[in-house]
Amino acid sequence: MPEPDQAILARKAAIVAALKVIVPGEGVIHAADALRAYESDALTAYRQRPVAVVLPRNTEEVSAVLKLCASMGVKVVPRGSGTSLSGGALPLADSVVVGMGKFNRILDIDYANRTVTAQPGVTNLGLTHAVSAAGFYYAPDPSSQIACSIGGNVGENSGGVHCLKYGLTTNNVLGVEMVLMSGEVVRLGGKHLDPDGYDLLGVVVGSEGMLGIVTEVTVRILPKPPGARAALIGFGAEESAGDCVARIIAAGIIPAGMEMMDKPSVAAVEEFVHAGYPLDVEALLIVELDGPHAEIDHLLGMVEEIARGCGAVSVRVSTSEAERLLFWAGRKAAFPATSRLAPDYYCMDGTIPRHQLSRVLGEIRRLSKVHGLGVVNVFHAGDGNLHPLILYDANRDGEIERAEAFGADILRLCVDVGGVLTGEHGVGVEKRDLMEYQFEEPDLARQQAVKCAFDPGTLLNPGKVFPKLHRCAEGGRMHVHGGKVPFPELERF
Ligand SMILES: Cc1cc2nc3c(=O)[nH]c(=O)nc-3n(C[C@H](O)[C@H](O)[C@H](O)COP(=O)(O)OP(=O)(O)OC[C@H]3O[C@@H](n4cnc5c(N)ncnc54)[C@H](O)[C@@H]3O)c2cc1C
């Protein structure tokens, strides 16, 4: 390995020394071995050690860190719990990672307004825990909810099994406090509905840490519904399950959740969780209805009738709260259960119009043969949000490249059938180079103009989302530099 340039070492030392003045004690991590814990997120195929990780404790420290980095021209990567599957929190070699783990307090619970205000490092499930004794909950529920932070949920506009009826993060966040790269602190939205002015909050949710660092989040909480029951509906063919999903929605029923798993996924989960899933079906739907008990009974009857009409071979409705939770425990463990099938899996995330489900599933099977890699399908069927899990072994030569090529083909397929590149995991580095497949150059230029309005120096999480490197310039014009953004500094496992 070549000797590090003395000038680079001196610059790194200067950055670390300046950060230590702002966040003293153990708040700055820069030793090589200690940085290992931060060199990757859940897109584990890539890793990169940053210059340093800083762990600020309050908004003033975040502001001072960003002001410092802006003055020294240092890139900044915001990080919550590091569970991003698209590489959103992946460090860059010449960046400082701002870890928000110390922002872990609930600041305000307001039952009258049905809101919770929390620091961004509070976990998604932590929000629900804070209000569950009073009969409330926070609706968006990513499978990673035990670990992922609400700040990361804002960054990725995360979803979960209950977002079909209750909306994604963007539909449940009412306000944020955010620090811009300049160090300025801005407040967008609040407890009230429908704030004045442009919907900047809508722009920030899903902005993948590229516009500012969120230091406070106000979310809507909901009263727990009086009841909820889930049905496991088995089908002899994936196409029949796909048709059933479309017909349930067409009948005007919006289930609290409607998830689909294919046969390999059902088998892997059942062995792992023993959720009581039927093993003799080609596809399984989990359909949950919530609300008053009479309404649940009525809608479950309609769902069963539709399912039977689509050729369902088995219908089993939960008879207790424990059983309902067990049904969901299986689905929520689908990713870890898949890790028992192969040394590695690559989780894809694309969205398609619901009526294309059967066609796309068939095409994914064909692509699996073309690329010579297995695939397990589990997805938010009601939203048309697919999560094919591609099975591979990173230790075998060329398999990771084949997995990525297979994944890219799946995402292009999603776009071809009228869908989009991502449903909830974000673009990050993973889907960045496919953005031009979905968007025309003027569309991407307008999107980057928004970034420039918040971060004219393009220092916040650069190299993510946008396939071409633009430098912001006066008057909103941008200049392209060097075509594709290279990632020479990224290391692969
Ligand atoms: C097993 C597993 C299951 C998953 N299931 C789901 C699922 O069902 N639904 C789903 O949507 N996702 C899922 N994910 C993906 C992931 O958990 C979500 O994207 C989550 O929102 C990331 O939160 P985090 O705190 O880990 O954020 P990180 O991974 O740390 O960061 C995510 C992005 O947000 C930015 N960011 C983080 N904090 C801040 C902040 N305070 N201010 C500004 N930007 C910030 C980062 O820069 C990055 O771009 C899953 C991941 C795993 C590993």
Side-chain angles (χ1 to χ4, degrees):
M1 206 194 280
E3 283 294 307
D5 188 316
Q6 288 307 314
I8 293 179
L9 287 179
R11 178 167 159 77
K12 283 186 177 180
I15 294 166
V16 168
L19 287 172
K20 281 184 170 175
V21 173
I22 299 169
V23 187
E26 296 181 345
V28 180
I29 298 165
H30 59 97
D33 52 351
L35 286 176
R36 283 219 167 266
Y38 294 90
E39 65 186 8
S40 195
D41 56 15
L43 185 68
T44 52
Y46 294 93
R47 64 182 173 187
Q48 178 59 61
R49 230 177 282 165
V51 173
V53 175
V54 59
L55 304 172
R57 296 160 298 183
N58 52 49
T59 302
E60 292 70 35
E61 287 183 355
V62 174
S63 168
V65 166
L66 292 194
K67 212 182 277 181
L68 172 83
C69 289
S71 71
M72 296 181 85
V74 178
K75 295 170 188 165
V76 170
V77 178
R79 182 180 176 104
S81 303
T83 66
S84 167
L85 287 162
S86 59
L90 183 69
L92 305 163
D94 50 354
S95 72
V96 165
V97 169
V98 178
M100 298 301 284
K102 292 193 172 169
F103 279 70
N104 57 6
R105 284 187 301 122
I106 301 276
L107 301 173
D108 175 62
I109 298 178
D110 182 343
Y111 292 117
N113 278 306
R114 292 189 178 175
T115 62
V116 171
T117 300
Q119 292 187 317
V122 171
T123 62
N124 172 291
L125 197 56
L127 292 173
T128 288
H129 282 161
V131 295
S132 63
F136 285 83
Y137 74 114
Y138 176 62
D141 55 347
S143 302
S144 52
Q145 66 184 150
I146 193 169
C148 66
S149 71
I150 185 64
N153 291 179
V154 169
E156 302 288 11
N157 187 20
S158 297
V161 297
H162 288 100
C163 291
L164 173 62
K165 183 168 179 181
Y166 296 106
L168 296 156
T169 302
T170 192
N171 308 109
N172 289 276
V173 167
L174 296 172
V176 296
E177 176 189 82
M178 187 171 83
V179 185
L180 305 183
M181 200 59 214
S182 60
E184 286 165 289
V185 180
V186 295
R187 282 191 168 270
L188 306 173
K191 288 185 180 180
H192 47 291
L193 297 172
D194 201 13
D196 293 339
Y198 287 160
D199 181 11
L200 294 181
L201 185 60
V203 171
V204 165
V205 180
S207 60
E208 305 198 23
M210 297 179 74
L211 303 185
I213 296 194
V214 172
T215 45
E216 195 181 295
V217 186
T218 298
V219 299
R220 184 199 315 278
I221 50 169
L222 299 176
K224 283 184 206 159
R229 290 169 77 196
L232 297 180
I233 308 176
F235 292 87
E238 287 174 349
E239 291 72 17
S240 314
D243 286 347
C244 184
V245 168
R247 285 204 216 169
I248 288 172
I249 299 288
I253 303 168
I254 305 293
M258 184 150 58
E259 300 285 304
M260 186 166 157
M261 297 161 78
D262 68 2
K263 192 180 179 88
S265 174
V266 168
V269 163
E270 190 51 24
E271 201 180 309
F272 189 52
V273 178
H274 309 298
Y277 291 178
L279 293 171
D280 55 349
V281 298
E282 291 300 317
L284 181 71
L285 281 187
I286 311 175
V287 183
E288 177 164 296
L289 281 310
D290 66 2
H293 295 283
E295 182 183 321
I296 295 173
D297 289 344
H298 173 67
L299 292 178
L300 273 174
M302 284 177 72
V303 165
E304 178 160 359
E305 197 180 319
I306 293 168
R308 297 275 183 209
C310 292
V313 293
S314 65
V315 178
R316 184 174 148 211
V317 178
S318 63
T319 52
S320 66
E321 181 62 3
E323 194 175 29
R324 180 184 78 86
L325 293 175
L326 186 61
F327 288 178
W328 284 121
R331 166 60 186 89
K332 294 206 172 195
F335 291 7
T338 301
S339 61
R340 292 152 63 103
L341 301 181
D344 301 283
Y345 69 82
Y346 179 27
C347 175
M348 304 309 302
D349 163 51
T351 301
I352 56 168
R354 270 183 294 262
H355 68 275
Q356 296 281 9
L357 269 176
S358 317
R359 176 179 159 198
V360 168
L361 283 176
E363 190 59 14
I364 290 176
R365 296 255 167 268
R366 191 189 66 77
L367 288 169
S368 166
K369 289 192 186 117
V370 170
H371 292 278
L373 293 173
V375 65
V376 166
N377 281 297
V378 44
F379 43 88
H380 307 307
D383 302 308
N385 180 198
L386 312 178
H387 291 316
L389 304 171
I390 299 170
L391 308 178
Y392 70 100
D393 181 352
N395 288 322
R396 286 207 197 130
D397 271 356
E399 277 214 1
I400 188 166
E401 287 78 11
R402 265 162 51 213
E404 287 181 343
F406 184 3
D409 278 351
I410 292 175
L411 294 177
R412 279 189 281 263
L413 170 66
C414 291
V415 175
D416 290 346
V417 300
V420 291
L421 289 176
T422 175
E424 54 185 20
H425 295 172
V427 175
V429 293
E430 184 211 10
K431 305 176 188 107
R432 187 196 63 175
D433 292 343
L434 289 169
M435 287 286 276
E436 287 165 313
Y437 196 76
Q438 182 176 337
F439 295 102
E440 300 294 334
E441 183 59 33
D443 302 328
L444 286 173
R446 283 307 94 205
Q447 289 180 35
Q448 202 190 322
V450 174
K451 173 162 175 62
C452 289
F454 283 82
D455 173 26
T458 57
L459 288 172
L460 256 178
N461 222 1
K464 317 283 171 75
V465 178
F466 295 107
K468 289 204 179 116
L469 189 61
H470 291 87
R471 186 181 297 158
C472 309
E474 298 280 325
R477 291 180 65 81
M478 292 173 298
H479 303 291
V480 183
H481 286 269
K484 294 277 180 197
V485 189
F487 266 119
E489 71 275 29
L490 283 182
E491 236 179 76
R492 257 206 179 134
F493 276 117

